[in-house]
């Protein structure tokens, strides 16, 4: 639907092959001074986003979403920690350096459009080009018109923003964000002020941009829209909930998810190493966060068969939790790469499930399903399964 | 050109009210600078140029009797004398119509009007007086009296009247304005002057120019001239010195314009404060936009540039308005004042100095004033600029805030308490607005108090005078006869004839004051109750005192380090010189210019010194009623009576007329200062309007919430109008004590600088009420517009983000 002739071809980069993430927040803390004392807005945030990803940041009002975004855009500075964006230590730039850097490297789309009301639509789009001088003067208007055509608003180029509808203004804001062809676009509740149909069209535009290699971070309260992103970062009380915990235990509340994130310990296993062994006593529940694990079932002739491979976001150890607390299969790290898992003890899991009957039921259903599968896959049956979610 | 400048243009053009207010506020100050500084420069320059053009005399010598022209021409032999020119000047009585009262005139003649050397008279119409019946009139007097060439003037010559046609119109460079003194100047030939008892071929005065000129050399030459004449048996009545480069009125105008200049600068400062408010307003309104600009790549310097260009444009527009207006007013007022000094001012002139000052004020003032809010706004972080969390908790919780809050809650209805609290939200802005209003109020109260002080001073001065009219005779008369005749006139309660003698003052051998226009020795009866000068040191004369005691002005004593008890020498010319002891100093109130610097002595002592026992030349008369019309009628009767008895009256003046002249002199100055104070007050109103407008913008969401919870337009209006009125009242409360403390100092300084007077200070308490009403009206008017715009904010608009 949209032609995007003006952008460099930024192919998505896979962090797993060793390249740096395009956005890297390391142990970022943010305190605000208030009349009643310090407010801890962001607590030890670690977040890495790769080039070409479409990431949604969701959370309740006051959870710290916009503060997190402000760290990335440089609109605000961390109290401690580091923020690297496209290779630049943003937390070290002064205001003027920040302004210039931001104009060239980031496009920002605000919830309330934030177009300058006193200049025309096309002039709003030309402004960032004027500030950063990324294009020769004689090309700016042409480029601005091209961007407007991209968002299907070329006919309104010379009108004032107030003459446009909310959706149209937001599309102009997106065009403005792309004026200097930045690799990263940050959008803070871009559809917050739009009706659902317009919101969908704006989101579609974002998807097109991602397809062309842009990295987009979008803050939204709409979990339905957030699902359209590659990844979702849930932020609660200034902390990011582990995405795999959030993905896996969807019936937990945000506070419970945060509790789970805090309780879960991250463990790494070397490639090929055993994580749990069949027949041993079970005391932990596992969520795969990086790499792959193999579920191994014993066979009568003593050679094991890999019944299943589980990747990030998959769980294992749930069957033993509900049935006899004994391992029904062995699970090991993939032979090719080390694996990272989040580990919750059964006591911790019990504590969580006690707060959420729905999660208990869901997990129990999963455990029962898997048990049935294992039962079907008797030692003589090579199609056994252990743990699916 | 970057598209951001379209935004600047839009901001200027689409908020015309704000632009107009800002431009007018600067224009007011720039106009004042142009008008006052321009007038000052043009006035002084033209006065001095005109003065130099008439080849002013260095010394104007008045003789004790008429002498032959040869005697005067022999003065050329005195070392240092460049040349001399004899002339005659006598007093006369005239009227324009038979039924009119006689009025006083001075009649002058030159030996050859067409070959004048000094103090050049200029023919402006008709022809020079040549024959016996030729009569020329001074052009200012002609204008004042409505006399033209061909009209007739009736002169009193002895017991007869003589009607002469006006045949010429002459400009004289050294005549008092007819508005100040009812003394018309006429010109006749030598033949014509004979009718006025001036012997033909003889002269009673002459002009002298010396070379080289210096102040001291002029006095040395004058002494030599006096000595030379004394050897020929000719006494000198007076010496009047003139600076050849500087017009005699220029120092007075300098003092006069000094205060005006100060007020003009205050106008500029006040206008600049308004620019500060306006730009604060603009930046407050556009904080969000600043954040966005920074978010999309604008640097701080770009933001600064955008808003300073705004300020520059305000200044340039103000200059466009104020420059021509200031020049026009400067030229017009220059013309008015030059006309008062009988100086022609025909073509429009522009003062380069004033234009330079105007350009500097118009451009620098808004830039400098705009810098703090622009820098503050430009430095705001993106987060602060675009964050919008509810209604803002910008009312701090300091002690003052709590005090304000407590006061409001305890003493004021909720609405007023809100307005009261709102006033203190932005203390910086409150301070600036208050500063402007306080300056306005203080200026008004001080100017009005200055006026009151002037009036009080005159009341006191005239209150110390217990006489109603004075009559000066053309020659010495016998007191017994004059006073006896005076008492025959109905309405005369008492009279006193005093002897007045020109005197030269020496202190320790040094000539201090030359006898002339400014110095005279007046004998006063020691028991007299006709006048009591304000003694500031020492004492007045004791009853019966007849020793050589004098009381002189404090100014003369201070200038020459004379203390009470010191001995001075008074040289009375042919009557000799004697030592006199200073027993007291008095304050005459007005010094310099045309004011007499009289040295008083006991009449008896002066009789003894001059041997003119029982004689005098100036009659002081107290009438039974002090009504101006009554005293004028009695004065007329006295003059007619003396005329019938052959006693020639030179000049008379009722105290009412004298008072009127004094009032008029003050009035011009006071009105000019009041005009400037009014300009400052108006700009103060604009400042208040600007501050309240900022408040409306800042509290847009708050207003929306108020509306959402039930506040009607009246309530919203009331909050802002009340805030405006409270600001006005606060400024009034502060301005009052400040003006009370500063006014005495100002009155003293201004009195000296502008009028050469020591003013008796009086604070004008009724002006406090007047200013109270004025500031309340200004506050209400200033707050109406922003209050109305606040009522027009809808809930939807105000709560919408951005």
């Amino acid at each position: 639907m949209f032609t995007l002739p003006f952008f460099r071809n930024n192919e998505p980069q896979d962090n797993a092959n060793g390249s740096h993430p395009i956005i890297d927040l390391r142990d970022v803390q943010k305190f605000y001074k208030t009349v009643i004392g310090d407010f801890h807005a962001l607590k030890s945030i670690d977040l890495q986003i790769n080039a070409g990803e479409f990431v949604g940041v969701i959370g309740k009002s006051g959870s710290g979403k916009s503060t997190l975004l402000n760290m990335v855009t440089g609109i605000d500075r961390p109290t401690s920690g580091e923020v690297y964006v496209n290779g630049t230590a943003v937390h070290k730039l002064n205001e003027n350096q920040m302004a210039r850097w931001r104009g060239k490297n980031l496009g920002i789309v605000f919830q309330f459009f934030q177009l300058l009301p006193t200049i025309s639509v096309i002039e709003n789009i030309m402004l960032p080009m004027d500030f950063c001088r990324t294009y020769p003067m004689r090309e700016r208007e042409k480029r601005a018109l091209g961007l407007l055509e991209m968002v299907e608003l070329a006919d309104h180029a010379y009108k004032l923003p107030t003459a446009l509808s909310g959706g149209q203004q937001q599309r102009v804001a997106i065009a403005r964000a792309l004026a200097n062809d930045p690799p990263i676009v940050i959008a803070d509740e871009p559809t917050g002020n739009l009706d659902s149909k317009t919101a969908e069209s704006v989101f579609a535009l974002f998807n097109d941009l991602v397809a062309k290699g842009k990295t987009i971070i979008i803050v939204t309260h709409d979990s339905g829209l957030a699902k359209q992103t590659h990844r979702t970062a849930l932020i609660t009380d200034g902390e990011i909930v582990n995405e795999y915990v959030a993905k896996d235990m969807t019936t937990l509340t945000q506070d419970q998810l945060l509790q789970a994130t805090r309780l879960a310990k991250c463990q790494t296993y070397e490639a090929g190493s055993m994580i749990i062994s069949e027949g041993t006593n079970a005391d932990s529940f596992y969520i795969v966060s990086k790499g792959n694990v193999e579920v191994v079932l014993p066979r009568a002739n003593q050679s094991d068969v890999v019944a299943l491979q589980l990747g990030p976001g998959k769980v294992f150890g749930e069957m033993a939790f509900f049935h006899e607390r004994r391992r029904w299969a062995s699970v090991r790290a993939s032979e090719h790469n080390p694996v990272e898992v989040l580990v919750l003890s059964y006591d911790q899991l019990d504590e969580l499930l006690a707060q959420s009957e729905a999660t208990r039921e869901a997990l129990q259903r999963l455990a029962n399903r898997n048990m049935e599968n294992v039962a079907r896959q008797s030692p003589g049956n090579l199609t056994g399964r252990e743990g699916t979610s | 050109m970057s598209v951001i400048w379209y935004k600047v243009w839009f901001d200027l053009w689409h908020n015309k009210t704000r632009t107009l207010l800002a431009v007018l506020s600067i224009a007011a100050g720039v106009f004042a600078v142009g008008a006052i500084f321009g007038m000052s420069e043009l006035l002084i320059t033209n006065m001095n140029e005109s003065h130099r053009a008439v080849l002013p005399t260095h010394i104007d010598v008045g003789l004790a009797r008429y002498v032959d022209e040869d005697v005067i021409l022999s003065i050329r032999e005195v070392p240092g004398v460049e040349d001399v020119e004899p002339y005659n000047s006598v007093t006369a009585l005239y009227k324009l119509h038979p039924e009119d009262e006689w009025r006083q005139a001075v009649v002058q003649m030159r030996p050859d009007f067409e070959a004048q050397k000094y103090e050049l008279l200029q023919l402006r119409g008709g022809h020079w007086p040549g024959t016996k019946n030729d009569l020329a009139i001074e052009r200012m007097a002609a204008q004042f009296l409505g006399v033209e060439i061909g009209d007739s003037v009736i002169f009193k010559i002895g017991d007869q009247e003589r009607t002469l046609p006006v045949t010429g119109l002459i400009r004289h460079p050294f005549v008092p304005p007819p508005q100040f003194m009812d003394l018309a100047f006429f010109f006749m030939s030598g033949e014509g002057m004979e009718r006025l008892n001036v012997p033909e071929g003889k002269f009673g005065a002459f002009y002298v120019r010396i070379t080289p000129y210096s102040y001291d050399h002029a006095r040395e030459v004058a002494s030599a001239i006096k000595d030379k004449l004394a050897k020929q048996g000719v006494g000198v009545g007076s010496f009047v010195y003139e600076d050849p480069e500087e017009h005699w009125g220029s120092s007075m105008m300098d003092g006069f314009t000094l205060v005006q200049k100060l007020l003009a600068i205050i106008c500029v400062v006040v206008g600049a404060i308004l620019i500060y408010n306006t730009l604060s307003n603009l930046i407050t309104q556009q904080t969000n936009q600043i954040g966005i600009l920074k978010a999309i790549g604008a640097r701080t310097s770009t933001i600064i540039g955008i808003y300073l260009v705004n300020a520059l444009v305000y200044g340039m527009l103000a200059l466009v308005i104020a420059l021509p207006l200031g020049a026009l007013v400067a030229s017009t007022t220059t013309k008015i004042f030059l006309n008062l000094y009988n100086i022609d001012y025909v073509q429009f002139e522009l003062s380069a100095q004033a234009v330079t000052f105007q350009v500097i004020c118009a451009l620098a003032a808004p830039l400098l004033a705009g810098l703090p809010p622009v820098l503050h706004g430009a430095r705001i972080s993106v987060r602060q600029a675009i964050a919008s969390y509810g209604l803002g908790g910008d009312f701090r919780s300091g002690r003052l805030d709590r005090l304000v809050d407590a006061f409001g809650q305890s003493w004021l209805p909720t609405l007023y308490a809100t307005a009261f609290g709102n006033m203190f939200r932005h203390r910086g802005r409150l301070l600036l607005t208050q500063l402007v209003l306080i300056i306005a109020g203080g200026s008004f109260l001080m100017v009005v108090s200055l006026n009151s002080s002037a009036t009080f001073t005159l009341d006191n001065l005239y209150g110390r005078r217990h006489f109603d009219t004075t009559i000066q005779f053309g020659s010495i008369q016998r007191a017994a006869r004059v006073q006896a005749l005076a008492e025959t006139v109905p309405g005369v309660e008492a009279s006193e004839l005093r002897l007045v003698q020109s005197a030269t003052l020496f202190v320790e051998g040094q000539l201090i004051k030359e006898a002339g226009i400014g110095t005279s020795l007046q004998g006063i009866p020691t028991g007299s109750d006709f006048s009591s000068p304000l003694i500031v040191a020492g004492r007045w004369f004791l009853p019966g005192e007849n020793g050589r005691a004098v009381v002189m002005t404090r100014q003369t004593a201070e200038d020459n380090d004379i203390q009470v008890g010191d001995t001075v020498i008074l040289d009375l010319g042919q009557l000799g010189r004697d030592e006199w002891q200073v027993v007291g100093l008095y304050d005459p109130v007005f010094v310099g210019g045309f004011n007499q610097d009289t040295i008083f002595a006991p009449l008896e002592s002066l009789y003894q010194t001059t041997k003119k026992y029982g004689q005098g030349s100036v009659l002081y008369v107290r009438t039974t009623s002090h009504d101006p019309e009554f005293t004028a009628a009695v004065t007329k009767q006295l003059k007619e009576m003396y005329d019938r008895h052959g006693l020639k009256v030179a000049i008379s003046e009722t105290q009412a007329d004298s008072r009127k002249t004094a009032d008029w002199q003050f009035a011009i100055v006071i009105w000019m200062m009041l005009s400037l104070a009014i300009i400052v007050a108006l700009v103060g109103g604009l400042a208040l309007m600007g501050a309240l407008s900022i408040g409306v913008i800042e509290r847009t969401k708050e207003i929306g919430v108020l509306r959402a919870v039930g506040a009607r337009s009246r309530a919203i209006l009331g909050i802002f109008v009340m805030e405006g009125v409270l600001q006005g009242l606060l400024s009034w409360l502060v301005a009052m004590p400040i003006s009370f403390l500063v006014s005495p100092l100002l009155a003293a300084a201004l009195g000296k600088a502008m009028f050469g007077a020591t003013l008796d200070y009086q604070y004008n308490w009724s002006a406090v009420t007047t200013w109270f009403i004025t500031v309340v009206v200004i506050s209400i008017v200033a707050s109406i517009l922003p209050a109305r715009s606040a009522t027009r904010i809808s809930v939807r608009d105000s709560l919408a983000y951005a």
Side-chain angles (χ1 to χ4, degrees), chain B residues 182-261:
Chain B
D182 185 11
L183 190 70
F185 275 62
F186 295 92
F187 306 89
M188 291 181 184
S189 65
E191 225 182 322
M193 292 287 273
E194 280 188 61
R195 291 200 188 100
L196 298 174
N197 300 320
V198 176
E200 192 176 2
K202 291 191 185 291
F203 298 90
F206 59 97
Y207 298 127
V208 181
R209 270 182 83 114
I210 64 173
T211 182
Y213 172 81
S214 76
Y215 177 89
D216 291 329
H217 191 217
R219 276 129 188 96
E220 285 166 15
V221 172
S223 274
I225 290 172
K226 191 173 169 185
D227 290 342
K228 185 173 175 68
L229 288 170
K231 285 175 187 161
Q232 297 176 61
V234 178
V236 171
S238 65
F239 284 113
V240 175
Y241 298 96
E242 280 188 51
D243 187 320
E245 295 299 317
E246 210 175 270
H247 190 283
W248 52 270
S250 60
S251 58
M252 193 170 83
M253 294 314 295
D254 271 339
F256 167 66
T257 56
L258 177 65
V259 174
Q260 318 291 331
K261 286 176 183 173

Side-chain angles (χ1 to χ4, degrees), chain A residues 76 96 99 112 114 118 123 130, chain B residues 3 6 10 288 300 383 801:
Chain A
D76 204 349
N96 269 342
F112 292 97
Q114 304 287 22
T118 55
E123 285 162 355
D130 285 345
Chain B
V3 297
Y6 297 145
F10 190 97
N288 195 263
T300 303
R383 186 184 72 82
Y801 190 99

Side-chain angles (χ1 to χ4, degrees), chain B residues 266 431 434-447 449 730-747 761 763 765 768 771:
Chain B
I266 289 175
L431 200 65
Q434 283 298 301
L435 187 66
V436 172
L437 290 171
I438 290 166
I439 288 173
S443 301
F444 176 82
L445 290 170
M446 284 189 281
V447 169
S449 291
L730 181 65
S731 77
W732 173 80
L733 276 172
V734 177
M736 221 175 31
I738 289 177
S739 69
F740 187 75
L741 290 171
V742 177
S743 286
L745 305 169
L746 191 71
Y761 176 70
Y763 189 74
W765 289 103
V768 172
W771 181 246

Side-chain angles (χ1 to χ4, degrees), chain B residues 526-527 541-546:
Chain B
T526 51
F541 303 121
L542 302 169
E545 185 167 5
N546 59 2

Side-chain angles (χ1 to χ4, degrees), chain A residues 32 35 70 75-76 95-96 99-100 102-103 108 110 112 114 116-119 123-124 126-128 130-132 137 160 176 180, chain B residues 1-4 6-7 10-11 286 288-289 292-302 380-383 386 389 397 801-802:
Chain A
Y32 287 115
V35 175
N70 287 347
I75 285 174
D76 204 349
E95 278 294 322
N96 269 342
R100 185 52 66 91
R102 194 163 37 228
I108 305 177
F110 297 94
F112 292 97
Q114 304 287 22
L116 262 64
T118 55
I119 52 178
E123 285 162 355
N124 266 279
M126 288 167 67
L127 255 184
D130 285 345
F131 290 145
C132 300
M137 199 173 273
L160 290 178
R176 181 181 67 184
N180 289 324
Chain B
M1 187 175 79
S2 172
V3 297
I4 196 63
Y6 297 145
K7 171 190 148 39
F10 190 97
D11 285 339
Q286 297 188 355
N288 195 263
Q289 289 184 36
I292 297 307
L293 288 171
K294 284 187 154 189
I296 62 174
R299 294 195 286 190
T300 303
S301 56
T302 309
I380 199 168
S381 72
V382 178
R383 186 184 72 82
I386 66 175
Y389 297 104
S397 56
Y801 190 99

Side-chain angles (χ1 to χ4, degrees), chain B residues 25-38:
Chain B
S25 68
I26 288 292
V30 174
F31 159 77
V33 164
I36 301 301
F37 282 81

